[in-house]
Amino acid sequence: MKAFNSIYRSVNSVCSRQGDRASALARCGFCGSATSNSKFQPDFGLLFDIDGVLVRGKTPIPAAKRAFQKLVDASGQFIVPVVFVTNAGNCLRQKKADQLSHILGVPISQDQVMMSHSPLRMFSKYHDKCVLVSGQGPVLDIAKNLGFMNVVTIDMLRETFPLLDMVDHNRRPRLPSSPIVNLPKVEAVILFGEPIRWETNLQLIVDVLLTNGSLGSSYINSTANHLPLLACNMDLMWMAEAPSPRFGHGTFLVCLEHIYKKVTGMELKYEALMGKPSELTYHFAEYLIREQAAERGWRAPIRSLYAIGDNLMTDIYGANLYNRYLEERASSSTKAVAKAAAVAGAGGAGGTGLRASPSTTTTTGTTTTTSSSSTTGTTSARVSQEVDCGWESELAAPSATSCKSILVCTGVYNPRTEIPPDAGHATIKETVFHGHRDFRFDPGLVEPGHIVQDVEDAVELIFQQEKMLGTPV
């Protein structure tokens, strides 16, 4: 009887919440006249990619501004939680927020922006170590803003060891020189994004890895275990103003991986891979959605995420991968509860503390290849035990039960290009799969939930999915 009453209260609560939502929507219609004191309690959040969805390089996509006018009320406040999830990593969140505010004509805070490097805040075990950072933009400021206290840049290494950078003949030192500054030994390498001088960065990163962080030394013989390497942004290509996609940080990673293997005969290993499509990124994005909802006083748990992107291999793959993780997590929890109930019913619980088994997949490069359409129980890049506190203990367990992918046709995706149906065909990885080496091709993960023309159509679709009355069709 108690169980029945509990179920009745839950159903009644859901019905009441849906009634409140319908009432609020009927009053405002979500056509720009919504008010912040509406009783509407959103139980979903939106994750927007930026390049190819909202902008092409520095040029705004016309549909973007129209879409966001539908997502704010008369006072300019968002009517649902919104987070911008970009694989860019060459600036601070505040700068990106300012750019978006200008482009979209609505106020965006830095707490609504997630760069590819944002999850590095959680890797506190490296914050007091000497880390080498590669990328462009204010890399020192970015690293310190993320919590790193002892940072060395590629330029600092080059100035200290000028004889190491020899590809560009015009930049070679005229006379041999001795190190002017004694830099500390590098203990980890962090790759924020594509650098400007690839040859310099490739050379010095390989030097650091093969000398175990001591650049004054020659290469060591054993390369089985190199320094920890953490990479952000795996985009092979991205969409700017050019008619075709441009090389991204993923292309730089391909170069680094092949050079390392060519020199050592061994695979380069990553301590962590961040940015889309890594599950770490989506877990962190959901945390930001929950934080935003709590700050606005929205008490309804976030149950659904909608991820809007233009790239099958990052935006769609990542959203579907996280959706698979959420489904598996819900299934594991259900099985654990059923098992506990069965044991308790048999009188055998005995204080054993039965609980769902924690996720065991790590974020290292060698283990992010476990995802496939036939083995849904081993998805990639989950909560890493390498992080001091697991993601779920650090950010709280996810409340969402689904992450729905929506593909737009204004960026990398070309609707005229089809994916070969035979996933085992030898040419798929060469001609179609642009994902990172450590993420397996899985036809199910690159299949979008919906395909629409642009971001405005995506917002209208979400309104329909959520039964938000009065929206345009």
Side-chain angles (χ1 to χ4, degrees):
M1 187 64 182
K2 288 182 178 179
F4 177 82
N5 288 337
S6 175
I7 293 172
Y8 175 81
R9 284 194 298 270
S10 298
V11 171
N12 186 57
S13 173
V14 170
C15 292
S16 298
R17 187 163 63 246
Q18 290 176 341
D20 288 343
R21 171 190 287 189
S23 174
L25 292 172
R27 286 195 304 274
C28 67
F30 281 95
C31 57
S33 60
T35 57
S36 58
N37 59 2
S38 168
K39 293 181 180 179
F40 173 60
Q41 295 284 311
D43 60 358
F44 65 97
L46 309 184
L47 307 178
F48 287 95
D49 180 39
I50 297 176
D51 293 301
V53 175
L54 307 178
V55 297
R56 292 276 295 265
K58 294 182 179 179
T59 305
I61 293 172
K65 193 167 186 177
R66 297 194 301 269
F68 276 82
Q69 289 302 317
K70 298 174 182 178
L71 290 172
V72 296
D73 61 21
S75 62
Q77 285 193 310
F78 281 92
I79 58 178
V80 295
V82 167
V83 168
F84 300 88
V85 186
T86 176
N87 269 356
N90 61 347
C91 68
L92 296 168
R93 289 190 302 160
Q94 185 60 59
K95 181 177 180 180
K96 184 63 71 175
D98 293 340
Q99 292 172 350
L100 289 170
S101 298
H102 176 71
I103 291 168
L104 300 174
V106 296
I108 309 294
S109 75
Q110 67 170 358
D111 294 330
Q112 291 177 280
V113 176
M114 181 175 174
M115 311 295 288
S116 62
H117 49 62
S118 293
L120 283 169
R121 296 175 183 276
M122 311 308 301
F123 287 76
S124 55
K125 66 184 290 184
Y126 296 108
H127 287 177
D128 60 350
K129 295 184 182 297
C130 178
V131 297
L132 169 66
V133 295
S134 169
Q136 55 184 293
V139 289
L140 273 176
D141 292 337
I142 293 170
K144 290 176 180 177
N145 185 261
L146 290 166
F148 296 95
M149 296 175 282
N150 194 358
V151 184
V152 173
T153 68
I154 293 290
D155 286 341
M156 292 166 65
L157 285 188
R158 184 180 176 276
E159 290 173 8
T160 306
F161 302 98
L163 293 178
L164 298 182
D165 185 20
M166 302 296 283
V167 174
D168 186 341
H169 292 215
N170 293 327
R171 294 213 307 170
R172 288 181 178 178
R174 304 284 180 187
L175 298 171
S177 59
S178 300
I180 301 172
V181 180
N182 291 321
L183 292 177
K185 179 180 177 181
V186 174
E187 299 173 278
V189 180
I190 298 176
L191 309 178
F192 283 142
E194 63 271 18
I196 296 174
R197 285 185 169 271
W198 286 33
E199 79 282 359
T200 297
N201 284 257
L202 289 168
Q203 177 71 75
L204 296 185
I205 290 169
V206 169
D207 285 341
V208 165
L209 295 176
L210 296 186
T211 60
N212 200 32
S214 301
L215 282 181
S217 309
S218 58
Y219 288 173
I220 56 177
N221 294 327
S222 174
T223 54
N225 295 306
H226 57 70
L227 292 177
L229 180 65
L230 297 88
C232 312
N233 182 353
M234 295 168 273
D235 282 350
L236 186 74
M237 296 185 291
W238 66 288
M239 204 67 186
E241 290 94 341
S244 300
R246 303 293 86 197
F247 290 161
H249 191 221
T251 307
F252 178 82
L253 297 182
V254 169
C255 296
L256 180 63
E257 292 155 10
H258 280 271
I259 292 170
Y260 186 86
K261 186 171 184 179
K262 195 73 174 177
V263 171
T264 68
M266 299 182 184
E267 295 285 353
L268 186 71
K269 298 178 182 179
Y270 295 91
E271 182 79 1
L273 287 165
M274 280 157 283
K276 297 173 289 187
S278 168
E279 290 180 33
L280 291 177
T281 291
Y282 287 85
H283 196 111
F284 195 87
E286 184 190 352
Y287 162 74
L288 294 179
I289 288 283
R290 294 198 311 266
E291 287 288 291
Q292 192 178 142
E295 186 178 338
R296 293 289 303 278
W298 294 326
R299 296 175 183 172
I302 299 298
R303 297 303 183 195
S304 301
L305 298 174
Y306 291 89
I308 301 98
D310 71 306
N311 192 326
L312 286 171
M313 304 304 167
T314 54
D315 303 313
I316 303 306
Y317 189 114
N320 290 341
L321 188 64
Y322 191 59
N323 184 67
R324 184 176 288 180
Y325 160 68
L326 294 174
E327 289 177 346
E328 291 171 5
R329 189 177 180 281
S331 176
S332 298
S333 298
T334 301
K335 290 177 182 177
V337 170
K339 183 177 179 181
V343 173
T352 55
L354 290 171
R355 59 186 176 86
S357 300
S359 301
T360 56
T361 311
T362 69
T363 59
T364 56
T366 54
T367 56
T368 53
T369 60
T370 56
S371 171
S372 71
S373 57
S374 60
T375 55
T376 57
T378 53
T379 56
S380 66
R382 289 218 189 117
V383 181
S384 173
Q385 293 179 346
E386 295 299 321
V387 184
D388 287 343
C389 305
W391 280 95
E392 292 196 1
S393 62
E394 192 78 28
L395 301 178
S399 64
T401 56
S402 68
C403 183
K404 304 169 186 179
S405 58
I406 301 177
L407 180 67
V408 299
C409 303
T410 51
V412 170
Y413 173 69
N414 183 348
R416 294 184 297 275
T417 301
E418 295 183 0
I419 297 175
D422 182 8
H425 196 280
T427 62
I428 283 182
K429 286 188 177 180
E430 297 173 7
T431 62
V432 176
F433 185 59
H434 293 168
H436 187 266
R437 175 200 72 181
D438 293 351
F439 287 77
R440 254 168 122 171
F441 178 76
D442 180 340
L445 293 178
V446 294
E447 183 67 33
H450 296 276
I451 302 177
V452 296
Q453 180 57 39
D454 54 40
V455 67
E456 183 180 18
D457 289 345
V459 168
E460 292 180 2
L461 173 66
I462 294 166
F463 282 180
Q464 294 172 21
Q465 294 281 311
E466 293 297 320
K467 297 180 172 55
M468 297 172 74
L469 308 179
T471 54
V473 241

